[in-house]
PDB file of all heavy atoms in Angstrom:
ATOM      1  N   GLU K 284     -18.610  96.097  34.385  1.00 53.00           N
ATOM      2  CA  GLU K 284     -17.165  96.082  34.131  1.00 53.00           C
ATOM      3  C   GLU K 284     -16.389  95.361  35.230  1.00 53.00           C
ATOM      4  O   GLU K 284     -15.525  94.542  34.965  1.00 53.00           O
ATOM      5  CB  GLU K 284     -16.659  97.509  33.961  1.00 53.00           C
ATOM      6  CG  GLU K 284     -17.059  98.114  32.608  1.00 53.00           C
ATOM      7  CD  GLU K 284     -16.553  99.534  32.460  1.00 53.00           C
ATOM      8  OE1 GLU K 284     -15.935 100.015  33.448  1.00 53.00           O
ATOM      9  OE2 GLU K 284     -16.758 100.134  31.405  1.00 53.00           O
ATOM     10  N   PRO K 285     -16.660  95.621  36.547  1.00 54.00           N
ATOM     11  CA  PRO K 285     -15.936  94.838  37.580  1.00 54.00           C
ATOM     12  C   PRO K 285     -16.214  93.356  37.496  1.00 54.00           C
ATOM     13  O   PRO K 285     -15.326  92.542  37.699  1.00 54.00           O
ATOM     14  CB  PRO K 285     -16.446  95.429  38.895  1.00 54.00           C
ATOM     15  CG  PRO K 285     -16.874  96.807  38.550  1.00 54.00           C
ATOM     16  CD  PRO K 285     -17.445  96.715  37.160  1.00 54.00           C
ATOM     17  N   ARG K 286     -17.501  93.004  37.190  1.00 56.00           N
ATOM     18  CA  ARG K 286     -17.803  91.574  37.069  1.00 56.00           C
ATOM     19  C   ARG K 286     -17.042  90.953  35.910  1.00 56.00           C
ATOM     20  O   ARG K 286     -16.510  89.844  36.006  1.00 56.00           O
ATOM     21  CB  ARG K 286     -19.318  91.388  36.898  1.00 56.00           C
ATOM     22  CG  ARG K 286     -20.115  91.678  38.164  1.00 56.00           C
ATOM     23  CD  ARG K 286     -21.514  91.083  38.058  1.00 56.00           C
ATOM     24  NE  ARG K 286     -22.263  91.674  36.968  1.00 56.00           N
ATOM     25  CZ  ARG K 286     -23.059  92.747  37.095  1.00 56.00           C
ATOM     26  NH1 ARG K 286     -23.182  93.347  38.278  1.00 56.00           N
ATOM     27  NH2 ARG K 286     -23.723  93.205  36.064  1.00 56.00           N
ATOM     28  N   ASN K 287     -16.980  91.684  34.774  1.00 56.00           N
ATOM     29  CA  ASN K 287     -16.211  91.176  33.632  1.00 56.00           C
ATOM     30  C   ASN K 287     -14.731  91.045  33.970  1.00 56.00           C
ATOM     31  O   ASN K 287     -14.057  90.098  33.561  1.00 56.00           O
ATOM     32  CB  ASN K 287     -16.401  92.085  32.425  1.00 56.00           C
ATOM     33  CG  ASN K 287     -17.817  92.021  31.872  1.00 56.00           C
ATOM     34  OD1 ASN K 287     -18.538  91.046  32.140  1.00 56.00           O
ATOM     35  ND2 ASN K 287     -18.218  93.041  31.113  1.00 56.00           N
ATOM     36  N   GLN K 288     -14.203  92.016  34.732  1.00 58.00           N
ATOM     37  CA  GLN K 288     -12.788  91.960  35.110  1.00 58.00           C
ATOM     38  C   GLN K 288     -12.508  90.760  36.001  1.00 58.00           C
ATOM     39  O   GLN K 288     -11.489  90.084  35.862  1.00 58.00           O
ATOM     40  CB  GLN K 288     -12.400  93.256  35.837  1.00 58.00           C
ATOM     41  CG  GLN K 288     -10.919  93.363  36.165  1.00 58.00           C
ATOM     42  CD  GLN K 288     -10.075  93.474  34.924  1.00 58.00           C
ATOM     43  OE1 GLN K 288     -10.524  94.009  33.908  1.00 58.00           O
ATOM     44  NE2 GLN K 288      -8.860  92.939  34.976  1.00 58.00           N
ATOM     45  N   ASP K 289     -13.466  90.488  36.949  1.00 56.00           N
ATOM     46  CA  ASP K 289     -13.304  89.320  37.818  1.00 56.00           C
ATOM     47  C   ASP K 289     -13.325  88.031  37.013  1.00 56.00           C
ATOM     48  O   ASP K 289     -12.540  87.110  37.261  1.00 56.00           O
ATOM     49  CB  ASP K 289     -14.417  89.292  38.875  1.00 56.00           C
ATOM     50  CG  ASP K 289     -14.291  90.457  39.848  1.00 56.00           C
ATOM     51  OD1 ASP K 289     -13.167  91.007  39.943  1.00 56.00           O
ATOM     52  OD2 ASP K 289     -15.307  90.790  40.489  1.00 56.00           O
ATOM     53  N   GLN K 290     -14.247  87.988  36.013  1.00 56.00           N
ATOM     54  CA  GLN K 290     -14.306  86.786  35.179  1.00 56.00           C
ATOM     55  C   GLN K 290     -13.020  86.607  34.376  1.00 56.00           C
ATOM     56  O   GLN K 290     -12.517  85.500  34.216  1.00 56.00           O
ATOM     57  CB  GLN K 290     -15.519  86.860  34.250  1.00 56.00           C
ATOM     58  CG  GLN K 290     -16.857  86.787  34.981  1.00 56.00           C
ATOM     59  CD  GLN K 290     -18.037  86.936  34.038  1.00 56.00           C
ATOM     60  OE1 GLN K 290     -17.834  87.165  32.846  1.00 56.00           O
ATOM     61  NE2 GLN K 290     -19.251  86.833  34.575  1.00 56.00           N
ATOM     62  N   MET K 291     -12.486  87.736  33.874  1.00 58.00           N
ATOM     63  CA  MET K 291     -11.227  87.648  33.107  1.00 58.00           C
ATOM     64  C   MET K 291     -10.078  87.181  34.005  1.00 58.00           C
ATOM     65  O   MET K 291      -9.237  86.391  33.586  1.00 58.00           O
ATOM     66  CB  MET K 291     -10.907  89.006  32.489  1.00 58.00           C
ATOM     67  CG  MET K 291     -11.862  89.413  31.364  1.00 58.00           C
ATOM     68  SD  MET K 291     -11.487  91.060  30.736  1.00 58.00           S
ATOM     69  CE  MET K 291      -9.870  90.778  30.050  1.00 58.00           C
ATOM     70  N   ASP K 292     -10.057  87.690  35.272  1.00 56.00           N
ATOM     71  CA  ASP K 292      -9.008  87.253  36.193  1.00 56.00           C
ATOM     72  C   ASP K 292      -9.135  85.773  36.499  1.00 56.00           C
ATOM     73  O   ASP K 292      -8.140  85.047  36.592  1.00 56.00           O
ATOM     74  CB  ASP K 292      -9.082  88.063  37.491  1.00 56.00           C
ATOM     75  CG  ASP K 292      -8.710  89.527  37.261  1.00 56.00           C
ATOM     76  OD1 ASP K 292      -8.041  89.790  36.234  1.00 56.00           O
ATOM     77  OD2 ASP K 292      -9.096  90.374  38.086  1.00 56.00           O
ATOM     78  N   CYS K 293     -10.402  85.309  36.652  1.00 59.00           N
ATOM     79  CA  CYS K 293     -10.601  83.884  36.934  1.00 59.00           C
ATOM     80  C   CYS K 293     -10.168  83.018  35.766  1.00 59.00           C
ATOM     81  O   CYS K 293      -9.645  81.921  35.943  1.00 59.00           O
ATOM     82  CB  CYS K 293     -12.082  83.626  37.258  1.00 59.00           C
ATOM     83  SG  CYS K 293     -12.617  84.385  38.822  1.00 59.00           S
ATOM     84  N   LYS K 294     -10.403  83.514  34.560  1.00 57.00           N
ATOM     85  CA  LYS K 294      -9.978  82.757  33.383  1.00 57.00           C
ATOM     86  C   LYS K 294      -8.469  82.818  33.205  1.00 57.00           C
ATOM     87  O   LYS K 294      -7.853  81.903  32.683  1.00 57.00           O
ATOM     88  CB  LYS K 294     -10.662  83.301  32.132  1.00 57.00           C
ATOM     89  CG  LYS K 294     -12.168  83.053  32.115  1.00 57.00           C
ATOM     90  CD  LYS K 294     -12.787  83.623  30.849  1.00 57.00           C
ATOM     91  CE  LYS K 294     -14.298  83.372  30.820  1.00 57.00           C
ATOM     92  NZ  LYS K 294     -14.923  83.941  29.609  1.00 57.00           N
ATOM     93  N   LYS K 295      -7.863  83.932  33.643  1.00 57.00           N
ATOM     94  CA  LYS K 295      -6.417  84.102  33.464  1.00 57.00           C
ATOM     95  C   LYS K 295      -5.618  83.187  34.370  1.00 57.00           C
ATOM     96  O   LYS K 295      -4.579  82.656  33.986  1.00 57.00           O
ATOM     97  CB  LYS K 295      -6.053  85.561  33.742  1.00 57.00           C
ATOM     98  CG  LYS K 295      -4.596  85.895  33.475  1.00 57.00           C
ATOM     99  CD  LYS K 295      -4.332  87.361  33.699  1.00 57.00           C
ATOM    100  CE  LYS K 295      -2.867  87.708  33.454  1.00 57.00           C
ATOM    101  NZ  LYS K 295      -2.592  89.132  33.703  1.00 57.00           N
ATOM    102  N   GLU K 296      -6.111  82.947  35.603  1.00 63.00           N
ATOM    103  CA  GLU K 296      -5.361  82.114  36.551  1.00 63.00           C
ATOM    104  C   GLU K 296      -5.202  80.682  36.063  1.00 63.00           C
ATOM    105  O   GLU K 296      -4.093  80.135  36.095  1.00 63.00           O
ATOM    106  CB  GLU K 296      -6.055  82.151  37.913  1.00 63.00           C
ATOM    107  CG  GLU K 296      -5.925  83.508  38.613  1.00 63.00           C
ATOM    108  CD  GLU K 296      -6.642  83.519  39.942  1.00 63.00           C
ATOM    109  OE1 GLU K 296      -7.231  82.465  40.280  1.00 63.00           O
ATOM    110  OE2 GLU K 296      -6.602  84.547  40.638  1.00 63.00           O
ATOM    111  N   PRO K 297      -6.270  80.002  35.611  1.00 67.00           N
ATOM    112  CA  PRO K 297      -6.052  78.647  35.058  1.00 67.00           C
ATOM    113  C   PRO K 297      -5.097  78.637  33.873  1.00 67.00           C
ATOM    114  O   PRO K 297      -4.318  77.705  33.701  1.00 67.00           O
ATOM    115  CB  PRO K 297      -7.460  78.197  34.668  1.00 67.00           C
ATOM    116  CG  PRO K 297      -8.367  79.023  35.496  1.00 67.00           C
ATOM    117  CD  PRO K 297      -7.697  80.344  35.657  1.00 67.00           C
TER     118      PRO K 297
END
Side-chain angles (χ1 to χ4, degrees):
E284 286 180 358
R286 289 197 298 269
N287 292 340
Q288 185 66 30
D289 293 339
Q290 293 177 356
M291 290 177 65
D292 292 339
C293 293
K294 292 180 180 179
K295 185 177 179 181
E296 290 179 0

